[in-house]
Amino acid sequence: MGEKAVSNKMIVLKDYVKGSPKESDMLLKTSAVELRVPDGCHNAVLVKNLYLSCDPYMRTRMHKIEGSYAQSYEPGSPIVGYGVCRVVDSSDPNFKNGDLIWGLTGWEEYSLIKSTEGLFKIEHTDVPLSYYTGILGMPGTTAYCGFYEVCSPKKGDTVFISAASGAVGQLVGQFAKLFGCYVVGSAGSKDKVDLLKNKFCFDDAFNYKEEPDLNAALKRCFPNGIDIYFENVGGKMLDAVLGNMNMKGRIAVCGMISQYNNLEEPEGVKNLLCLVLKRVRMEGFIVVDYYHLYPKYLEMVLPLIKQGKITYVEDVAEGLESAPSALVGLFSGRNVGKQVVVVARE
Amino acid sequence: MGEKAVSNKMIVLKDYVKGSPKESDMLLKTSAVELRVPDGCHNAVLVKNLYLSCDPYMRTRMHKIEGSYAQSYEPGSPIVGYGVCRVVDSSDPNFKNGDLIWGLTGWEEYSLIKSTEGLFKIEHTDVPLSYYTGILGMPGTTAYCGFYEVCSPKKGDTVFISAASGAVGQLVGQFAKLFGCYVVGSAGSKDKVDLLKNKFCFDDAFNYKEEPDLNAALKRCFPNGIDIYFENVGGKMLDAVLGNMNMKGRIAVCGMISQYNNLEEPEGVKNLLCLVLKRVRMEGFIVVDYYHLYPKYLEMVLPLIKQGKITYVEDVAEGLESAPSALVGLFSGRNVGKQVVVVARE
């Protein structure tokens, strides 16, 4: 260990994952790190990680996958994900010691981020810092661009959101309500359905696990059909939704969590002919194509948070040690609201 | 029979069709018709049908289907489809005796078209009249709006077209070539593949029936991936294409002929997660939303035809009696090029 070296706990991926991820697919390791940016490493920052974000797309990086927007994780190396961090040392003049940032970091106590490109400086600290893993970070921007840019909403549109109590879903629903849409969400437990109806003020919600017939559930909630589907789950739900879409409907494909544990043999979706019969547009998107809108989004959402017009629910796990369990829990739907891991509070 | 009544042969649908349509699902009947628009019937025309168009979408109308752009045919009534007709009598001041028109008409010798809305007057007769069932009619406009409006093409894009020798496919491919794209098509016989390569000047083509692995065939033709897929077939081909799409690729869903004979239990498409991973837009469309572009399209395509810069291949069946066999042949791929039925030459 050099003079400034400290111990650094980290969560590493053991090997590529098949099927449902398990806590044992990850390992807590302790290494050492010098709390400074190495010489010759330009535009880098060494950060202390405060909050880490658990997001469904991370499952796809645990798989050996090609041609995706995200590269596979490297077995033996720390998991990579969004987080909120404090800069400890910097070789980039735009970031200085003490700055708070959010962006992609490692699942460890301290990380050397070798390129500051893609990091966002946190300017507003009169809101909980952890929000920058969610409503004020990647998932919030995803909800914003997915709804306003991809869904092409009109006032009065009927909007259906699956996985609606998750980080993105809860926000899409509230944005859609504020926009003047009729909003229904699905989730996987009674508690989550209550949250959707009572806390996020959705017009209606149902527990997909208790509906013997998803098509019938959608027909009950949308007697006049669905104009917009914000797709987070894929599989059977997508099939049922396709049959209930309205003419010129729009499907923003944000994710397909139901398929992530079975990437080798995903479920077949049968009702795609509805795309033609109803002239439906179905569009996959990812937030990195829309980060130029982040300042505009903050301008909109910060006042809404402060005025209490938007509610945001987090599920907080304490300590880096709890991160594997928190991540794995996403795929059984154990989290209620946005899953965050606290590594350190400051 | 009244004074002006003549005999009127017609092809009627016996009953809703399940599975592959057969000639015996249709019946030749003879009725009588007066060659004038009945009193009190405003904005109607009585026409003599000259050329009838056989189009894959017609299969969906033979099925009892709800929520489609097209209504089911009525068992006992003549099949309805696009055709080229001569006006015999008119109660609409915009159409007069002798005018040539194209639009939706009945599969019979004479039809009373009760609303002239949706009929197009034929102004250019220095091209074969039958072309108004294809390149100068609905399929041509479909190819035009599908390619230019839905596919958002850029010069140099790689374009794949399934059912590429059909009425729409052969035109999309030629438009894409003229636009500066790299164009590959699939079809179901050696003759059709030769047509694609030698007559329509596609860069490459393959016979999907002789490819044991569609994914490998696509990788061979598109080592750098597919930017645009013009989708006419659905099912396994769509799955293979999804896995070969490039980032920000576009899929214009024009039809899914492989699924039309199995509407109750369509094939599952498994690779939809690619929509997210590659940010792909997949959009169903139908030509009726784009008919306002028809004059602009004619302006483009008429000179191309006259200068020989576009080739157009028809498969012509003689006589109304041959219409059921011609229509049924679409679904086994028997036709080479656009399937037309000649009822009368003038």
Side-chain angles (χ1 to χ4, degrees):
Chain A
M1 273 199 207
E3 202 179 338
K4 280 178 147 182
V6 297
S7 111
N8 190 24
K9 282 189 287 187
M10 55 183 66
I11 304 291
V12 304
L13 181 70
K14 275 199 217 159
D15 199 357
Y16 296 121
V17 173
K18 284 192 175 160
S20 300
K22 301 176 297 296
E23 287 184 51
S24 59
D25 290 323
M26 291 162 272
L27 193 70
L28 180 73
K29 254 181 61 175
T30 304
S31 168
V33 64
E34 286 199 48
L35 295 185
R36 60 182 205 90
V37 172
D39 297 339
C41 205
H42 304 295
N43 301 311
V45 285
L46 194 129
V47 300
K48 179 176 183 187
N49 293 310
L50 305 179
Y51 299 93
L52 297 176
S53 178
C54 295
D55 296 295
Y57 82 90
M58 295 170 76
R59 172 64 187 87
T60 62
R61 300 191 65 179
M62 301 175 101
H63 184 79
K64 199 173 170 73
I65 196 168
E66 283 161 16
S68 167
Y69 55 81
Q71 288 182 306
S72 293
Y73 291 137
E74 205 179 317
S77 292
I79 303 283
V80 173
Y82 281 91
V84 171
C85 326
R86 185 180 293 281
V87 174
V88 173
D89 189 28
S90 169
S91 62
D92 178 337
N94 296 309
F95 293 90
K96 62 177 202 301
N97 199 326
D99 278 353
L100 289 164
I101 58 151
W102 71 267
L104 285 172
T105 186
W107 276 28
E108 52 193 341
E109 290 175 288
Y110 297 95
S111 296
L112 175 67
I113 302 176
K114 287 182 183 166
S115 163
T116 52
E117 205 188 336
L119 296 181
F120 295 82
K121 211 184 284 192
I122 294 176
E123 316 274 6
H124 304 270
T125 52
D126 52 350
V127 284
L129 263 188
S130 61
Y131 278 23
Y132 288 92
T133 65
I135 184 170
L136 298 176
M138 182 278 282
T141 317
T142 299
Y144 175 76
C145 67
F147 181 66
Y148 290 98
E149 302 292 316
V150 185
C151 292
S152 313
K154 292 186 305 293
K155 210 180 151 173
D157 275 348
T158 58
V159 177
F160 178 57
I161 303 158
S162 52
S165 68
V168 175
Q170 60 175 281
L171 296 172
V172 172
Q174 293 179 85
F175 295 157
K177 279 300 296 176
L178 290 168
F179 195 79
C181 296
Y182 176 82
V183 178
V184 179
S186 65
S189 75
K190 187 182 173 304
D191 286 354
K192 291 180 185 179
V193 168
D194 288 347
L195 206 59
L196 292 178
K197 286 190 191 170
N198 303 323
K199 192 137 185 160
F200 302 135
C201 301
F202 280 43
D203 294 292
D204 206 347
F206 64 87
N207 177 351
Y208 73 93
K209 291 182 180 164
E210 300 212 325
E211 295 289 345
D213 180 346
L214 292 175
N215 180 45
L218 290 169
K219 288 224 179 325
R220 185 180 75 227
C221 295
F222 294 98
N224 298 313
I226 300 169
D227 297 314
I228 290 174
Y229 175 39
F230 198 95
E231 161 70 304
N232 290 311
V233 307
K236 288 179 186 60
M237 184 64 91
L238 176 56
D239 247 341
V241 170
L242 282 166
N244 286 280
M245 288 301 290
N246 282 338
M247 287 290 166
K248 303 237 181 182
R250 289 130 273 152
I251 300 179
V253 190
C254 178
M256 292 191 168
I257 193 171
S258 76
Q259 305 303 302
Y260 291 172
N261 291 333
N262 194 13
L263 293 169
E264 291 85 2
E265 196 51 44
E267 230 172 321
V269 171
K270 297 183 173 179
N271 284 332
L272 287 172
L273 186 57
C274 291
L275 296 181
V276 193
L277 302 182
K278 316 275 191 67
R279 297 101 119 165
V280 169
R281 168 166 58 85
M282 186 168 173
E283 187 165 349
F285 73 100
I286 69 161
V287 65
V288 296
D289 293 334
Y290 294 92
Y291 274 145
H292 60 282
L293 299 176
Y294 181 63
K296 199 177 147 201
Y297 169 56
L298 274 191
E299 216 170 279
M300 180 196 89
V301 79
L302 280 166
L304 293 175
I305 296 173
K306 290 173 189 167
Q307 294 156 19
K309 289 188 181 156
I310 285 260
T311 303
Y312 179 62
V313 172
E314 292 180 319
D315 193 326
V316 179
E318 289 289 333
L320 185 63
E321 294 81 355
S322 69
S325 147
L327 179 59
V328 164
L330 287 182
F331 302 95
S332 58
R334 203 184 55 205
N335 59 308
V336 177
K338 165 68 193 174
Q339 182 66 60
V340 186
V341 175
V342 188
V343 183
R345 281 207 156 70
E346 70 172 54
Chain B
M1 275 199 205
E3 204 179 337
K4 281 177 146 181
V6 298
S7 113
N8 190 24
K9 282 188 287 187
M10 56 183 64
I11 305 291
V12 304
L13 182 70
K14 275 199 216 159
D15 199 358
Y16 297 121
V17 173
K18 284 190 175 162
S20 300
K22 302 176 296 299
E23 287 185 51
S24 59
D25 290 323
M26 291 163 271
L27 193 69
L28 179 74
K29 253 181 62 176
T30 304
S31 167
V33 63
E34 286 200 48
L35 295 185
R36 61 183 204 90
V37 173
D39 296 338
C41 206
H42 305 295
N43 301 312
V45 285
L46 194 130
V47 300
K48 179 177 184 186
N49 293 309
L50 306 179
Y51 298 93
L52 298 175
S53 178
C54 296
D55 297 295
Y57 83 91
M58 296 170 75
R59 172 62 186 87
T60 64
R61 301 191 66 178
M62 300 175 103
H63 184 80
K64 198 172 169 75
I65 195 167
E66 282 162 16
S68 167
Y69 54 81
Q71 288 182 306
S72 292
Y73 291 137
E74 204 178 318
S77 290
I79 303 283
V80 173
Y82 282 90
V84 172
C85 326
R86 185 180 293 281
V87 174
V88 173
D89 190 27
S90 169
S91 63
D92 178 337
N94 296 309
F95 293 88
K96 60 178 203 301
N97 198 327
D99 278 353
L100 290 164
I101 57 152
W102 70 268
L104 284 172
T105 187
W107 276 28
E108 52 194 341
E109 291 174 286
Y110 298 94
S111 297
L112 175 65
I113 301 176
K114 287 182 182 165
S115 164
T116 53
E117 205 187 337
L119 295 181
F120 296 81
K121 211 183 285 190
I122 294 175
E123 315 274 6
H124 305 270
T125 52
D126 50 352
V127 284
L129 262 188
S130 61
Y131 278 23
Y132 288 92
T133 66
I135 185 170
L136 298 176
M138 183 277 283
T141 317
T142 299
Y144 176 76
C145 67
F147 181 66
Y148 290 97
E149 302 292 316
V150 184
C151 293
S152 311
K154 293 186 304 293
K155 209 180 152 172
D157 275 348
T158 58
V159 177
F160 178 57
I161 303 158
S162 53
S165 69
V168 176
Q170 59 175 281
L171 296 173
V172 172
Q174 292 179 87
F175 294 159
K177 280 299 296 175
L178 289 169
F179 195 79
C181 296
Y182 176 83
V183 177
V184 179
S186 65
S189 75
K190 186 182 174 304
D191 285 355
K192 291 180 185 179
V193 168
D194 287 347
L195 207 57
L196 293 177
K197 286 190 192 171
N198 304 322
K199 191 137 185 160
F200 302 136
C201 301
F202 281 40
D203 294 291
D204 206 347
F206 64 87
N207 176 354
Y208 73 93
K209 291 181 181 167
E210 300 212 327
E211 294 289 344
D213 180 346
L214 292 175
N215 179 46
L218 290 169
K219 288 224 182 321
R220 185 180 74 226
C221 295
F222 294 99
N224 299 313
I226 300 169
D227 297 313
I228 291 175
Y229 175 40
F230 198 94
E231 161 69 306
N232 289 312
V233 307
K236 287 179 187 60
M237 185 64 91
L238 176 55
D239 247 341
V241 171
L242 281 166
N244 286 281
M245 289 301 290
N246 282 337
M247 288 290 167
K248 304 237 183 183
R250 289 130 273 151
I251 300 178
V253 190
C254 178
M256 293 190 168
I257 194 171
S258 76
Q259 305 302 302
Y260 292 170
N261 291 333
N262 193 13
L263 293 168
E264 292 85 3
E265 197 52 43
E267 231 172 321
V269 171
K270 297 184 173 178
N271 284 333
L272 288 172
L273 186 58
C274 292
L275 296 182
V276 193
L277 303 182
K278 316 272 192 71
R279 298 100 120 163
V280 168
R281 167 164 61 83
M282 186 167 171
E283 187 165 349
F285 73 99
I286 69 162
V287 65
V288 296
D289 293 335
Y290 295 92
Y291 273 145
H292 59 281
L293 299 177
Y294 181 64
K296 199 177 147 201
Y297 168 57
L298 274 192
E299 215 171 279
M300 179 195 90
V301 79
L302 280 167
L304 292 176
I305 295 173
K306 290 173 192 170
Q307 294 156 19
K309 290 188 181 156
I310 284 260
T311 303
Y312 178 61
V313 172
E314 292 181 318
D315 192 327
V316 179
E318 289 291 332
L320 185 62
E321 294 81 355
S322 69
S325 146
L327 180 58
V328 164
L330 286 183
F331 302 96
S332 58
R334 202 185 54 206
N335 59 307
V336 177
K338 164 69 191 173
Q339 182 66 60
V340 186
V341 176
V342 188
V343 183
R345 282 206 155 72
E346 68 171 56

